[in-house]
């Protein structure tokens, strides 16, 4: 019998090596998910402490004025919230990351590599954005040159990311109170002491003073904000560690899933509005303020200086920037490493381990920082939004419509090799067509009148194409086979949670829980999903069934 040599990282639940890998390509087993709903939710929300929202809000407000910017923020938040609901629930219920969900929700085993690249791009773009903000803080506070600040902000996160969820959960919990105080205090001060700043905010018409509210401007602003739609994938990297839902914890479970899943965007939208508010305040203080009004460190420093001595204001502004950058960039580096590892392993059938791709993701982000991506932020985010939207909305559409309305997509998630077709045209076709059309729209290929609405085009196509393609294909491309050879062992427990029953893998001789296992085509026993993924000659891959 030919077998495949299992990667050294394949270990039983609780083994130190597997802990470091955080079940990168797997279902997250119950034996590892020891955190309560509150801890998981706090860890997920800690990852959205980024200051990029302040820069985004300032940039779109300076470009389109307050009214259009606020409408754009609201439109984007509504889309992100609605599409995040089914994704968050599915991930928390079945303990899978978004790549594993995407495989069985319209994309296929290899087709979802396309969305992995889209997600990895999201992580290093926003890593570079946050690293740039931290470097700006280090330059102002400590006189560190930007090029060196970029390197420092990149390298400092690597030790934290290496130890995965256990280290990240602690770091997010410990730093959240400090972050909240430093962020909320400036806004509270201005509202209480300088009420005139509110009037100036409402009257602001952009950096040239000529902008008026319009639907086109609002949609352009929404397009920038919608670049954040892929943030739900990073939150899901935490939500997959939710404990089983039981009658005893149901209330806390649902609260945590909604708050840390789609709920993140409510805080994000508020931060964008505050970023614009602080930018307008900074612009109003001096002529020089307009040049740095989109840099969060200057926004907060300007208010801190009204509250305390300049030296202390500088210290707190730098502390806020550093804490915020660390909270989000450990998540960006962590989630990016998962996305790259997933793609690499499926393409090459080799598993080098998640840690290798931590360095890859950080390296790409550092290159973007050194190329000064912050100066062209709006353009980068507006372009990226078209790709992020079609992926997230397509998966949400498949789960909501194809699974639960039309019944053409299997309700139970599937991610294992051999169980899925290589490519499913439902999701893959949606991203190719929807993404292609919306990008063409973004560049004006479909006419100048439609150009501001490229994000709306992406949303509409991504929501409607999955059911259209699923109906046209009769749902034939979801499952390659319906039986994993272990039908005698239920996949779910009596409450509908993934089963905690354990099986030994015949290849790596380690123990894994039922949802991660399936029978070998050799008939000699069961093996885990990662050993099957790295089976280079396909010896263990079950044959297709009619």
């Amino acid at each position: 019998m030919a077998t495949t040599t299992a990667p050294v990282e394949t270990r039983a639940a609780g083994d130190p090596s597997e802990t470091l890998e955080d079940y990168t390509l797997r279902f997250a087993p119950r034996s590892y998910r020891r955190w309560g709903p509150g801890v998981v939710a706090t860890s997920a929300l800690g990852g959205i402490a980024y200051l990029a929202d302040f820069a985004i809000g300032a940039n779109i407000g300076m470009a389109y004025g307050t009214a259009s910017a606020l409408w754009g923020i609201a439109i984007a938040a509504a889309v992100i919230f609605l599409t995040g609901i089914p994704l968050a629930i599915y991930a928390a219920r079945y303990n899978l990351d978004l790549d594993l969900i995407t495989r069985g929700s319209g994309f296929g085993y290899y087709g979802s590599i396309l969305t992995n690249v889209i997600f990895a791009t999201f992580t290093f773009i926003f890593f570079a954005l946050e690293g740039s903000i931290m470097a700006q803080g280090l330059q102002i506070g400590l006189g560190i040159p930007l090029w060196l600040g970029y390197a420092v902000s990149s390298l400092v996160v690597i030790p934290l990311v290496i130890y995965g969820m256990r280290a990240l959960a602690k770091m997010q919990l410990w730093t959240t109170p400090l972050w909240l105080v430093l962020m909320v205090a400036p806004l509270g001060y201005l509202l209480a002491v300088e009420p005139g700043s509110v009037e100036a905010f409402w009257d602001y018409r952009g950096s040239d003073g000529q902008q008026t509210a319009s639907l086109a401007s609002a949609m352009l602003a929404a397009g920038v904000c919608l670049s954040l739609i892929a943030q739900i994938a990073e939150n899901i990297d935490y939500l997959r560690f939710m404990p089983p839902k039981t009658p005893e914890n149901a209330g806390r479970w649902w609260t945590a899933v909604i708050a840390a899943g789609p709920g993140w965007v409510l805080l994000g939208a508020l931060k964008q509005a505050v970023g614009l508010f602080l930018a307008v305040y900074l612009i109003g203080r001096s002529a020089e303020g307009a040049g740095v009004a989109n840099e969060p460190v200057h926004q907060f420093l300007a208010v801190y200086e009204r509250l305390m001595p300049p030296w202390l204001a500088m210290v707190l502004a730098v502390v806020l920037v550093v804490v915020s950058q660390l909270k989000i960039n450990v998540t960006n580096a962590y989630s990016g490493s998962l996305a790259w590892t997933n793609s690499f392993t499926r393409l090459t059938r080799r598993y080098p381990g998640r840690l290798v791709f931590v360095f890859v993701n950080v390296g790409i982000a550092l290159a973007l920082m050194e190329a000064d991506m912050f100066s062209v932020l709006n353009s980068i985010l507006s372009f990226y939004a078209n790709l992020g939207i079609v992926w997230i909305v397509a998966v949400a559409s498949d789960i909501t419509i194809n699974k639960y309305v039309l019944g053409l997509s299997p309700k139970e998630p599937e991610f294992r090799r051999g169980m899925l077709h290589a490519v499913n045209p439902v999701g893959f076709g949606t991203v190719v067509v929807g993404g292609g059309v919306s990008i063409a729209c973004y560049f004006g290929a479909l006419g100048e009148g439609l150009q501001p609405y490229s994000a709306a085009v992406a949303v509409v196509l991504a929501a409607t194409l999955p059911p259209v393609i699923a109906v046209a294909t009769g749902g034939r491309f979801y499952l390659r086979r319906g039986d994993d050879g272990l039908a005698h062992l239920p996949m779910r427990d009596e409450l509908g949670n993934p089963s905690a029953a354990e099986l030994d893998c015949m290849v790596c001789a380690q123990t894994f829980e039922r949802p991660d296992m399936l029978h070998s085509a050799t008939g000699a026993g069961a093996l885990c999903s990662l050993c099957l993924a790295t089976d280079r000659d396909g010896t263990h891959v079950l044959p297709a069934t009619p």
Side-chain angles (χ1 to χ4, degrees), residues 275-334:
L276 174 54
F277 178 78
L278 294 176
V280 172
Y281 174 75
L282 193 56
I283 292 170
R285 289 189 64 196
S286 66
E288 295 77 17
V292 294
N294 65 339
E295 297 182 11
V297 63
H298 284 284
Q299 294 174 357
F300 285 92
L301 179 60
V303 185
Y304 287 155
E305 286 178 339
R306 301 294 304 274
L307 289 165
M308 60 195 70
W311 68 267
L312 183 56
M314 182 65 73
V315 169
L316 291 183
V318 172
V319 169
L320 173 64
V321 168
V322 171
V323 169
S324 299
Q325 189 270 347
L326 288 177
K327 285 174 73 65
I328 181 55
N329 268 356
V330 293
T331 300
N332 282 327
Y334 174 67

Side-chain angles (χ1 to χ4, degrees), residues 80-105:
I80 292 172
F81 187 88
L82 292 175
T83 55
I85 291 173
L87 303 183
I89 294 173
Y90 213 66
R93 184 61 167 163
Y94 296 113
N95 309 112
L96 303 173
D97 68 22
L98 193 50
D99 172 63
L100 301 189
I101 292 171
T102 298
R103 295 182 195 181
S105 297

